[in-house]
Amino acid sequence: MTDLDTRVRQAFDNVTVPDDVKRGTLTYIASIAEASGVSAETAPASAAAPRKHARARIIPLRRAAAALAACLALAFAGFGGFAYAQPTTYVGIDVNPSIELGVNRFGIVVRVEALNGDGESLLDAVSLTGRGYADALSLLTQSDAFSPYAQEDSYIEISVTSDDARQAEAIRQQSDACLSALPCRGSCHAVDEGTREAAVSAGMGVGRYRAALELVELDPSVTLEECASLSMRELRDRIAALSSGDSEGRGSGNGQHGHGGGGGQHGKGNR
């Protein structure tokens, strides 16, 4: 059994039929059975009456069973569809374009969102929905539309937010592998939901927001609005210029990733 098979089974193991669906179905069955009993009592007596009476009860019950099966099938299909369409992990990608990918529990990209104008142009050029995350990230970073942002002097930051530790770890590893194959520098971080929500409120991608906070802390005269117009490389260069030497967690990396403020970095060290 593959890992995907296991995840699908686990997802459907957690599917339950709502109580109101159960109650409604049972009420429907009871009403049919009651109606069947009434019609049987008013039927004319004959030698074959008991047999007809039994048959009259069987047919409605079969219909009721079919209705119950249909309701359950619809319930499972509905909840299965919800499980597929609902993101369990959010991946922010910031260079100058800022976009966010919603990945479901099966590792499929089911939602994409542009967080700035360059992000909109990028998503217009590349279709990512319905692809596995690793495939989608590879397609994105190897596309002609992304090429100008993956030069040696660029900086890409990927942020992963998820309550599923196992999935988050897998996505960070896939992100690290992709970043290590690019000519530019980059890093991948685990980010909590509170930071992601704050970034959304500020109108920025998570990576850009985190870099902006770092820059504002070093230079209080800088505003978040100013940071929103800077590329990730510009933000990182200004942070490096204001920092006293290399701060902990920076420099060349070998595919490691960090949580919160730290993170693994790829490519050339900060200059």
Side-chain angles (χ1 to χ4, degrees), residues 2-224:
T2 66
D3 180 64
L4 178 59
D5 292 333
T6 301
R7 295 174 72 84
V8 170
R9 286 178 179 272
Q10 291 174 343
F12 280 96
D13 282 343
N14 295 326
V15 173
T16 58
V17 179
D19 289 338
D20 58 342
V21 174
K22 296 178 183 176
R23 287 194 298 270
T25 303
L26 292 175
T27 300
Y28 175 70
I29 293 174
S31 66
I32 292 178
E34 183 178 354
S36 173
V38 171
S39 61
E41 290 174 1
T42 58
S46 67
R51 189 171 183 178
K52 290 181 179 179
H53 190 187
R55 187 173 182 181
R57 287 180 178 275
I58 291 173
I59 293 175
L61 288 176
R62 284 178 178 172
R63 290 175 180 170
L68 176 60
C71 287
L72 292 176
L74 287 173
F76 274 92
F79 278 85
F82 175 80
Y84 181 88
Q86 183 66 22
T88 52
T89 297
Y90 293 92
V91 182
I93 302 173
D94 291 281
V95 196
N96 190 42
S98 287
I99 64 174
E100 183 178 75
L101 309 182
V103 182
N104 69 11
R105 67 175 65 249
F106 310 117
I108 306 298
V109 176
V110 293
R111 186 179 301 174
V112 296
E113 182 179 1
L115 303 177
N116 60 11
D118 286 341
E120 290 180 4
S121 299
L122 185 60
L123 291 181
D124 285 342
V126 186
S127 178
L128 304 178
T129 306
R131 296 178 177 273
Y133 173 71
D135 182 36
L137 186 61
S138 176
L139 179 67
L140 174 71
T141 56
Q142 298 300 321
S143 67
D144 291 339
F146 193 83
S147 179
Y149 307 110
Q151 303 302 311
E152 286 189 10
D153 61 348
S154 300
Y155 190 98
I156 302 173
E157 183 157 337
I158 298 178
S159 308
V160 181
T161 302
S162 179
D163 290 332
D164 186 334
R166 180 183 176 187
Q167 183 176 47
E169 174 66 19
I171 285 180
R172 288 198 298 267
Q173 289 181 2
Q174 292 167 347
S175 300
D176 284 334
C178 181
L179 288 172
S180 65
L182 297 176
C184 59
R185 293 185 293 132
S187 60
C188 180
H189 304 266
V191 177
D192 60 71
E193 182 60 32
T195 301
R196 175 178 173 268
E197 290 178 355
V200 171
S201 298
M204 286 189 266
V206 177
R208 191 183 306 278
Y209 176 73
R210 291 176 65 251
L213 291 182
E214 192 174 348
L215 179 57
V216 169
E217 184 177 357
L218 292 169
D219 182 359
S221 68
V222 178
T223 65
L224 288 178

Side-chain angles (χ1 to χ4, degrees), residues 83 244 251 266:
S244 55
H266 304 265

